[in-house]
Amino acid sequence: MDDKEKYIGITFGPITRVTGSVKSTKALWASSFFFSYLAREIIRNFKGREFVYPLVNDELINRRDGIGNFPDRYIFKSKPGDFDKLEKYIEDVIGTIAEGIALTIKKTPEDVKVFLKNYIKIYAFEKEPTQPKENEVMNIPDEFNDLFDLLEAQDYYNYEEKENYLLQFFEDKKLYDSFLTDAAFDDKTYFTALDDIAKAECSLNRVVKPMAYHNYIVIIKSDGDNMTNTIKSLLDKGKSVQELSKALARFGKNVSDIVKRYGARLIFLGGDDVLIFAPVKYGEVTFFDLIQNINSCFDKCFNSDMDCTDKCILAGKNLCASEVTKFSSAPTLSFGVAITYYKHPMGETLELAEELLTKAKYGFDKSKNRLACRLQKHSGQTSSFYMKKDWDSYPMALRLVKMFIGYSERTLSSLTHWITRNGQLLCLILQEDVTVRRSRIEAYFDNSLDEDIHLIKSSFLTAIQEFILSVYDDTLNAQTAIETTVSLLRIIHFINTKNDD
């Protein structure tokens, strides 16, 4: 490698601090799209460079779908003088943005620019990659991500912040007429309120009964797992990291259609990092189906046998390359899902979704590829549901949700309470020898259930038994098997509840 070959790394923030401070759906969208727009206006000046991550092209730059498609980290091979140009572009873009914000909130551009320069975190550096040791492959993303993590751990604030011009701008009624929405949409767009998202299925051409979940919103956050291993496997095979960027671009092209068909709102999409506001249920499907479709799309985008005409996953659009790199170490997606009353403080719900995503990725055995979900009812009751998506019991959980939609609240409540009351005995049965475990579970169900529970079809009771046994086989933990079953049934009961308690 030429000793003079260098790469530039750029990271933008503080995204989480800003999005966690907003109060309305409109402001949340604006705070998310703002950082994507900021990155776009700076990065577009280097679109001709060789990007390690992400994939940057005219299609991405010119997209006007209102979604924040530009992530917060960039690595590209630089040419002489690029870093000086980058510093100038940053200065110019912040100045232009300050003028636009000042026009909307009626402040002076100078004051807004000073605020933004002290508030926005743009860390950039240029360096030669460290030469690999013998029998090692140069891993630029891994090396640069370590530096990104170090830089992002630093934070700074305005010394005196009497007014937060950025938050004022996001919440301002004139946002709809600002430079930000002009850059996001071809036509003037108004943002759906949380209660309208929660009741999205009521807009379908069908009779919909008022349900408790119509007052609840689902916030879904996802993030890719094991990206480092995927990059290493590519480099070990002599392939470019851009193959990963291409696969993520394929995912991004398709996931917005999946979300739209469910009646949900895609707030942010940066590679594998996704933020969605969704209704609990939309017609015949629930948020579990939405997550599964997103997950299936992600998996397909990393496999060579991808069917570009699969209408269920890709909305019938031939959007993918005909040849897709086969990833020997493909990444997975973990999900954090928070379900709360639509009037619950948005910042707290976003924080909860982030906490659940962190738990899904790192809170168990660090094997990731999990769904961590929590229902937090207006009454204060909570139900938490955690499953690994490659467990044999996970598709069974999805089937149970579909099976029990439309069931009576009383019957589901009786079944849930019965399993809870008999949890200790069920745990003892689960720990018996595998040759008798199944028959004894079946016998205990048959001999112990009261009349309310017998209203459930025997096939459904068999499905519950199979689920308990399968979770135990996956975890070898009887308590986890019972708790997972009870939590899932409580969420199913909630979906079937006509009146919130």
Side-chain angles (χ1 to χ4, degrees), residues 257-376:
D257 284 333
I258 294 171
V259 173
K260 187 182 298 182
R261 291 200 313 277
Y262 183 77
R265 180 86 193 200
L266 183 58
I267 303 295
F268 178 77
L269 173 62
D272 57 316
D273 189 5
V274 181
L275 174 63
I276 300 166
F277 279 27
V280 172
K281 185 170 173 285
Y282 190 68
E284 299 299 323
V285 294
T286 70
F287 69 92
F288 283 106
D289 297 292
L290 172 61
I291 291 169
Q292 182 61 13
N293 284 342
I294 292 171
N295 192 72
S296 296
C297 178
F298 188 82
D299 289 345
K300 282 175 176 283
C301 286
F302 284 89
N303 287 281
S304 59
D305 59 351
M306 183 164 189
D307 179 5
C308 294
T309 63
D310 186 339
K311 294 182 180 180
C312 176
I313 302 301
L314 300 180
K317 295 183 178 180
N318 189 10
L319 294 172
C320 303
S322 58
E323 295 183 2
V324 181
T325 297
K326 180 72 174 179
F327 289 82
S328 59
S329 179
T332 57
L333 274 182
S334 285
F335 291 86
V337 182
I339 310 168
T340 62
Y341 191 64
Y342 77 94
K343 288 185 178 180
H344 192 79
M346 187 187 299
E348 292 182 15
T349 306
L350 286 166
E351 186 177 347
L352 175 59
E354 182 64 36
E355 289 175 3
L356 289 165
L357 177 59
T358 301
K359 188 162 188 174
K361 293 174 71 69
Y362 308 110
F364 296 90
D365 56 4
K366 296 186 179 180
S367 57
K368 304 179 182 179
N369 192 25
R370 290 180 182 265
L371 167 66
C373 174
R374 182 176 300 166
L375 165 63
Q376 186 167 302

Side-chain angles (χ1 to χ4, degrees), residues 150 302 485:
L150 180 64
F302 284 89
T485 304

Side-chain angles (χ1 to χ4, degrees), residues 38-192:
L38 173 66
R40 184 185 79 182
E41 293 305 293
I42 293 171
I43 293 299
R44 70 189 309 158
N45 297 287
F46 300 99
K47 67 178 182 179
R49 303 294 184 265
E50 179 184 329
F51 275 78
V52 176
Y53 177 83
L55 185 67
V56 176
N57 53 30
D58 286 332
E59 180 187 356
L60 182 67
I61 291 171
N62 296 326
R63 194 177 298 170
R64 294 168 65 83
D65 54 8
I67 300 169
N69 292 292
F70 278 76
D72 58 344
R73 291 182 175 185
Y74 300 82
I75 306 170
F76 65 88
K77 186 184 292 186
S78 62
K79 293 183 177 181
D82 273 357
F83 196 78
D84 290 336
K85 292 178 182 177
L86 174 62
E87 291 181 324
K88 181 180 184 301
Y89 292 141
I90 291 172
E91 182 75 17
D92 291 346
V93 169
I94 289 179
T96 301
I97 289 175
E99 291 176 1
I101 292 176
L103 183 65
T104 300
I105 65 174
K106 306 302 181 185
K107 303 292 180 180
T108 66
E110 293 77 16
D111 288 344
V112 175
K113 184 175 182 180
V114 169
F115 171 83
L116 292 178
K117 292 181 72 172
N118 288 325
Y119 190 81
I120 294 174
K121 295 163 57 176
I122 304 177
Y123 295 119
F125 56 89
E126 183 179 37
K127 70 184 296 293
E128 298 177 27
T130 303
Q131 290 295 320
K133 298 178 182 178
E134 188 177 357
N135 299 322
E136 288 185 357
V137 178
M138 183 172 65
N139 192 332
I140 295 173
D142 199 31
E143 181 178 341
F144 274 56
N145 281 333
D146 287 342
L147 289 171
F148 285 145
D149 291 340
L150 180 64
L151 290 170
E152 290 173 2
Q154 306 175 42
D155 206 348
Y156 50 78
Y157 300 81
N158 284 284
Y159 291 115
E160 184 178 8
E161 189 176 293
K162 294 180 179 179
E163 295 181 280
N164 189 315
Y165 297 140
L166 203 52
L167 294 182
Q168 284 183 31
F169 172 64
F170 296 153
E171 298 285 358
D172 199 289
K173 292 181 180 179
K174 295 180 181 178
L175 176 73
Y176 294 117
D177 299 311
S178 71
F179 71 93
L180 198 62
T181 49
D182 285 344
F185 305 101
D186 288 322
D187 301 314
K188 191 170 183 178
T189 299
Y190 292 92
F191 302 97
T192 311

